[in-house]
Amino acid sequence: MLRFIFLSLTLLLFLTFNIIVTKSSELDEFDELLALDEELDRETNLDNSIKFSEAKVLTKAQRIVHELNNDNTKRVINGYEFVLVLGYAPWCSRSAELMPLFAEAANSLNEFGSSLVMAKLDADRYPKPASLLGIKGYPTLLLFVNGTSQPYSGGFTADDIVIWARKKTGTPVIRINTEREAEEFLKKYHSFLIGRFDKFEGPEYEEFVSAAKSDNETQFVEVSKVELAQVLYPDTKPTDNFLGIVKSEPERYTAYEGAFTKDKILEFLSYNKFPLVTKLTEMNSVRVYASPIKHQVFVFANIDDFKNLRDSLQDVARSFKSKIMFIYVDVNDENLAKPFLALFGLEESTNIVVAAFDNGMSSKFLLESKPTRTNIEEFCSNLVQGSISPYFKSQPIPDNTEASVRVIVGKTFDEEILSSEKDVVLEVFTPWCFNCEDTSKQVEKLAKHYKGSSNLIFARIDSSVNEHPKLQVNDYPTLLLYRANDKTNPIKLPTKSSLKELAASINKHVKIKNQVDKDEL
C-alpha cells in the first residue's frame, strides 16, 4: 500500500510539475538546481546504506527531470552532450506507468554522477517540438547525443533505463575494486553478468567489453581478484577468465562455458537472462516475444492458481533450461491473455491453461490433460522431441442427421470432407463476415436444388472456431468444391455469382447422379 501511494504521488507531482525559467538563463538555472541537490545530499546526515526518503525522492524528481516546451526544446537538446527524452501524453495509460519509473531512473543516474540530462515532453500539448524530435507515439524514449537522436532499445523498469543509459553514455561495464564496492553493488543490482579477468586487457577482455556495449538490458560488472568475484558469484572458479550470470530467483547462478567472443557471450545472455518462469507484462512483451528460444510454454492462470503451481513449474522449467521459455500470463489480464487463448478457442476460460508455441514452425500445442507437474513435464518433453501433434481448434461434433447443409468442425473435416467418396461443396465463413449471410442463403437454396443427388453434398464450417491443416482460407466467405476423385485440389467457386451461375459452375465440374426432382433456382 505504501509503495502504491508513493508511486501515485510521484506520478501526480511528475505530471503537474513545470520548471519556470527565463529564455536567456534556462540552462544555467537547470544546472543550479542539480548543484542544489548535490549540496543537499552532502548536508544530509544519514547512513549510506539507507536510501533517500520518499519525500526527498519526490523533490529530486521535480528538479532533475527537465520539462520541455515550445520555447526550450532546441536549447536543451543542443545544450548538453547527452539528453534522454520521454515523449508522453497525459491521457496515455502506458505513459502514466512509465513516468514515475523514468523519474526514479533520473534520481539513480544523478546519484551515479551521470552527465546525462533527463527531459520530458508533453507531446500532445506541444506537437511542434514533438514533431521536431521525431516523437510519433506514446510513450517514446529517445537519446540525443550532441543533438542527434537514436532510438531507445532497453527495458522499461527504472533499473532497465539506468543500465541502458549508462551503457550509451560511456559506462558499459562497472568495475569493482573493493569488497565494500561489491556489497554496495549487490544492493543496487539483482541481475547482472560478471566477468573476472586477471588483467583488464587482451582479446578476451575486449570481446567482453564489446558484448557489454552491444547488449542493451544486462548490467556487466568486472573484477580482477577471485575473492571479490566470489562476493558477487560465490562459485567463481580461479581460472584465467570467468563469466557468469546472476539473477534474483531460485536459479540464481549460471556459469558460462563457451568461447570468449562477443557473439557467443550475447547468445549466452539471450538464452539465460530471463527467470525460470517469466511473468508477461505489457512492458516486457516485446523482449519476451523476441527471445531466440524456439519453444515457449505459456501458463494462463489466476494469481492464486499460479501460486499453487509455481514451485512445480519452476522445477520443470529448470529441467528444460535454455530449451523452453516458460511464461506466466494472468488469465484476468484481457489484453495479454485473450489474444493467445482465442487461438485455442479458450478465450472465456478461467481455469489453468497450459499451451505452447513452436516459433520456428509457427505451430501451437495444448496440454489437454490436467496440469499436474508430471503431465506438464511430459508435455514439455514431447514438445522438445517433436513428438506432440499441433493443436487445431474444433467445436463439438454436431448431429447432421436431418441437415440439408452439413455442419463440419475441425474434428470431422478429415472424415466428412477429405475421406468422403462424394463431391462436397464447402462454405467457409466466420460470424463477423459481412457478406457471409448472403452466401449461406445461396448454399441453402443450392442444397435444396440438388437434394436428389446421391453424389453431391453441401456443408459449411465456421473457421473462427474450427481449424484444420488442410484448410487454409483467409478470405470470407469462400466456397470450395472438393471433387470425389481429387480432394487435394479444391476448386474455388465464385461467391458473387447468381444461383444459376453457381449451379452452372458446379455442373461443369461434377456429374450429378440420380437427381430426379429439382427445386427451381
Side-chain angles (χ1 to χ4, degrees), residues 32-285:
E32 288 174 6
L33 287 173
L34 295 181
L36 178 59
D37 273 326
E38 293 173 1
E39 184 178 343
L40 288 172
D41 291 345
R42 289 192 296 269
E43 292 175 354
T44 303
N45 186 24
L46 294 174
D47 186 89
N48 289 333
S49 64
I50 301 176
K51 290 188 175 182
F52 294 115
S53 68
E54 293 177 0
K56 187 174 182 182
V57 171
L58 291 173
T59 302
K60 292 192 68 178
Q62 296 179 66
R63 292 187 175 127
I64 293 173
V65 179
H66 203 42
E67 182 78 41
L68 301 181
N69 54 44
N70 288 330
D71 299 323
N72 66 7
T73 297
K74 280 188 177 181
R75 283 191 294 276
V76 172
I77 296 300
N78 295 322
Y80 297 93
E81 182 180 7
F82 300 111
V83 183
L84 184 61
V85 176
L86 168 61
Y88 70 94
W91 45 261
C92 170
S93 60
R94 293 196 68 182
S95 294
E97 291 177 20
L98 184 57
M99 291 181 71
L101 303 175
F102 189 75
E104 185 180 340
N107 284 330
S108 296
L109 287 164
N110 189 56
E111 290 176 37
F112 284 125
S114 172
S115 62
L116 176 70
V117 170
M118 305 280 277
K120 62 187 176 78
L121 172 68
D122 183 342
D124 189 51
R125 181 180 179 185
Y126 301 109
K128 187 175 180 180
S131 176
L132 176 69
L133 298 183
I135 296 171
K136 299 177 181 179
Y138 316 114
T140 294
L141 284 169
L142 293 171
L143 175 66
F144 289 83
V145 181
N146 294 319
T148 301
S149 71
Q150 55 181 267
Y152 180 81
S153 55
F156 293 96
T157 67
D159 287 343
D160 289 337
I161 295 171
V162 170
I163 290 169
W164 188 89
R166 296 192 77 191
K167 287 192 175 194
K168 297 301 180 182
T169 56
T171 314
V173 183
I174 294 176
R175 182 174 296 179
I176 301 294
N177 294 308
T178 67
E179 186 173 334
R180 180 179 178 81
E181 288 177 0
E183 291 170 350
E184 289 299 317
F185 178 87
L186 284 175
K187 293 177 183 178
K188 295 179 180 178
Y189 296 95
H190 304 292
S191 299
F192 52 88
L193 177 72
I194 177 176
R196 193 202 76 79
F197 300 89
D198 286 332
K199 296 181 179 179
F200 300 124
E201 60 184 34
E204 291 190 340
Y205 174 71
E206 290 173 2
E207 291 290 317
F208 170 76
V209 174
S210 181
K213 292 178 179 178
S214 298
D215 172 76
N216 294 316
E217 302 170 359
T218 305
Q219 181 60 61
F220 281 52
V221 58
E222 60 188 28
V223 296
S224 179
K225 297 179 180 178
V226 174
E227 56 269 24
L228 284 182
Q230 290 173 342
V231 175
L232 304 176
Y233 193 113
D235 197 28
T236 300
K237 306 300 181 184
T239 56
D240 292 339
N241 296 320
F242 173 83
L243 287 180
I245 287 180
V246 179
K247 293 180 290 188
S248 56
E249 61 149 0
E251 192 74 7
R252 184 161 173 75
Y253 304 103
T254 305
Y256 177 65
E257 297 177 352
F260 276 62
T261 65
K262 181 186 79 171
D263 291 343
K264 289 296 182 181
I265 294 172
L266 293 176
E267 181 181 350
F268 169 70
L269 266 179
S270 296
Y271 278 85
N272 292 280
K273 64 185 176 183
F274 287 102
L276 286 173
V277 180
T278 300
K279 181 179 179 180
L280 186 69
T281 66
E282 296 242 353
M283 290 296 188
N284 72 5
S285 59

Side-chain angles (χ1 to χ4, degrees), residues 202-482:
E204 291 190 340
Y205 174 71
E206 290 173 2
E207 291 290 317
F208 170 76
V209 174
S210 181
K213 292 178 179 178
S214 298
D215 172 76
N216 294 316
E217 302 170 359
T218 305
Q219 181 60 61
F220 281 52
V221 58
E222 60 188 28
V223 296
S224 179
K225 297 179 180 178
V226 174
E227 56 269 24
L228 284 182
Q230 290 173 342
V231 175
L232 304 176
Y233 193 113
D235 197 28
T236 300
K237 306 300 181 184
T239 56
D240 292 339
N241 296 320
F242 173 83
L243 287 180
I245 287 180
V246 179
K247 293 180 290 188
S248 56
E249 61 149 0
E251 192 74 7
R252 184 161 173 75
Y253 304 103
T254 305
Y256 177 65
E257 297 177 352
F260 276 62
T261 65
K262 181 186 79 171
D263 291 343
K264 289 296 182 181
I265 294 172
L266 293 176
E267 181 181 350
F268 169 70
L269 266 179
S270 296
Y271 278 85
N272 292 280
K273 64 185 176 183
F274 287 102
L276 286 173
V277 180
T278 300
K279 181 179 179 180
L280 186 69
T281 66
E282 296 242 353
M283 290 296 188
N284 72 5
S285 59
V286 174
R287 296 165 60 199
V288 169
Y289 302 151
S291 170
I293 298 177
K294 180 181 177 182
H295 299 108
Q296 296 186 334
V297 169
F298 283 74
V299 177
F300 302 89
N302 62 46
I303 295 175
D304 291 334
D305 286 342
F306 176 71
K307 285 180 179 178
N308 295 330
L309 184 64
R310 180 171 51 199
D311 289 345
S312 296
L313 191 62
Q314 286 183 334
D315 287 341
V316 175
R318 191 176 287 109
S319 301
F320 293 94
K321 189 176 177 182
S322 299
K323 295 178 181 178
I324 297 178
M325 184 174 185
F326 288 79
I327 301 160
Y328 162 61
V329 185
D330 184 349
V331 75
N332 296 315
D333 190 330
E334 293 191 359
N335 290 335
L336 292 175
K338 278 203 171 183
F340 283 105
L341 291 173
L343 296 174
F344 298 88
L346 299 171
E347 53 266 46
E348 302 303 323
S349 176
T350 57
N351 298 321
I352 297 175
V353 174
V354 178
F357 294 89
D358 182 335
N359 292 337
M361 301 295 291
S362 299
S363 299
K364 62 181 184 288
F365 310 88
L366 181 67
L367 175 64
E368 300 187 66
S369 57
K370 189 176 180 180
T372 63
R373 172 178 172 171
T374 300
N375 289 341
I376 293 174
E377 193 165 25
E378 182 180 2
F379 176 72
C380 292
S381 180
N382 291 336
L383 178 67
V384 171
Q385 294 171 13
S387 58
I388 186 173
S389 298
Y391 179 82
F392 296 97
K393 290 188 293 185
S394 177
Q395 292 175 296
I397 297 176
D399 181 4
N400 285 314
T401 304
E402 302 295 331
S404 59
V405 178
R406 301 181 69 80
V407 175
I408 307 299
V409 296
K411 294 177 181 178
T412 62
F413 190 88
D414 278 327
E415 179 184 353
E416 300 225 28
I417 304 295
L418 300 182
S419 299
S420 172
E421 295 180 354
K422 297 183 178 183
D423 301 295
V424 183
V425 174
L426 178 67
E427 172 198 353
V428 187
F429 73 96
T430 64
W432 57 81
C433 163
F434 182 75
N435 296 317
C436 285
E437 186 176 352
D438 291 337
T439 300
S440 292
K441 291 178 180 178
Q442 285 187 312
V443 170
E444 294 281 355
K445 291 179 180 179
L446 284 169
K448 289 181 180 181
H449 177 69
Y450 289 101
K451 65 183 178 181
S453 170
S454 62
N455 67 305
L456 178 63
I457 61 175
F458 289 81
R460 61 167 55 104
I461 186 170
D462 180 353
S463 68
S464 70
V465 286
N466 295 284
E467 297 173 326
H468 191 276
K470 295 293 179 66
L471 182 66
Q472 302 295 327
V473 173
N474 297 312
D475 186 27
Y476 306 103
T478 290
L479 285 177
L480 298 173
L481 172 59
Y482 289 84

